[in-house]
Amino acid sequence: QAKQQLGSSYSFYSHDLNTHAKQRYCLETELRQAIKQKEFQLLYQPRIDTTTGKLCGVEGLLRWFHPLRGLLLPSDFIPLAEETGLIVPLGHWVIYQSCYDLLKLIDVCGEQVSMAINLSFQQFKDARLFTVISHALEKFDVPPQCLEFELTETAMMQDEAAVAAAMSALGKLGITFSLDDFGTGFSSFAHIQQLPISTLKIDRSFICKINSNTDDAVIVQAITNLAHNLNLSVVAEGVENQAQVDVLTKMGCDQLQGFFYSPPVPITTFCERSTDELVGCIV
Ligand code: C2E
Ligand code: MG
Ligand code: MG
Ligand code: MG
């Protein structure tokens, strides 16, 4: 009987695997197609400066408008794009599109605004990364200091040498980097100091319970102090309410980002209204 059970569960398992493989293959084909057919859009979420209360930058967040499945979020397709290497051509599109949109944002906000773009680990291993970025900067004539790349601690630690080399080369162009989801990985401050990283983005998991969990509050304050002593600035991600704004401002956090201010929106939203109005009407 045990054998029978094993047998049936085995066939069930293999059937599942098969379905999974088929779905994956399907999605991979569609992803390839979608890059060609421009089914992607970058939405932008504002970052607010705690000292002025005004917009100081945006983060680009990728969306896939699938003709049949509808809106797909990064968690639906970024892992597969990374596994298949399709993140490289997709990332090239993101770089060009964000530079094009950055130009529009600079028109409204001036050159002190910054545009942050997420990069996957695989993109740092792409030999064309530097060429694509410098070409995009030149093509749209955007100042490199307005562009910031976000990478996660985990990404940075995957192949430290390759990531460090790419970062240093891009750093020489004037581009800055921030460490995303900070506090969830294992990077050392000594290591951070050697790379052109200017900002730590404290992970949402520490921000969400900051007013009820003393440990989280202590961690955020400690990261902020240490970062400031090392000349790094601090962004809190996932800010959803006024109580969080208050405590994070009191702690000395430099910038805030989250649904409290705005979800990610199309670039035209920033261009149609004045930025004061955009932030002002949501707060
Ligand atoms: P991330 O870079 O840490 O981005 C923050 C995520 O938190 C975004 O999810 C954003 O929509 C969400 N978020 C922002 N404010 C709030 C809030 O107040 N509450 C809550 N609950 N969530 C908030 P999204 O857009 O689904 O992106 C998920 C992740 O996908 C990003 O995490 C980033 O790692 C990755 N990603 C997004 N766009 C790109 C891209 O163009 N290239 C690459 N390589 N990765 C990307
Ligand atoms: Mg990010
Ligand atoms: Mg993050
Ligand atoms: Mg995150």
Side-chain angles (χ1 to χ4, degrees), residues 187-201:
S187 56
S188 75
F189 277 93
H191 190 192
I192 292 168
Q193 279 295 80
Q194 289 155 18
L195 295 168
I197 291 166
S198 61
T199 306
L200 303 183
K201 295 194 75 179

Side-chain angles (χ1 to χ4, degrees), residues 45 59 62-63 74 118 120 180-181 204 237-238 240 258-259:
Q45 187 177 38
E59 176 181 6
L62 194 58
R63 300 290 180 263
N118 294 284
S120 295
D180 209 348
D181 305 345
R204 180 158 57 86
E237 48 177 26
E240 293 182 350
F259 293 164

Side-chain angles (χ1 to χ4, degrees), residues 216-258:
D216 287 345
V218 167
I219 289 166
V220 172
Q221 183 68 79
I223 293 175
T224 305
N225 293 345
L226 196 52
H228 285 166
N229 287 332
L230 294 170
N231 267 323
L232 300 165
S233 63
V234 176
V235 179
E237 48 177 26
V239 176
E240 293 182 350
N241 58 56
Q242 183 69 56
Q244 291 168 333
V245 173
D246 294 343
V247 69
L248 288 161
T249 305
K250 215 171 134 206
M251 284 180 172
C253 200
D254 303 286
Q255 297 176 19
L256 308 178
Q257 185 183 336

Side-chain angles (χ1 to χ4, degrees), residues 44 47 58-60 114-118 146-150 178:
Y44 297 93
R47 273 193 197 175
V58 300
E59 176 181 6
S114 74
M115 158 92 66
I117 292 304
N118 294 284
C146 292
L147 203 59
E148 177 181 316
F149 288 108
E150 298 189 2
S178 55

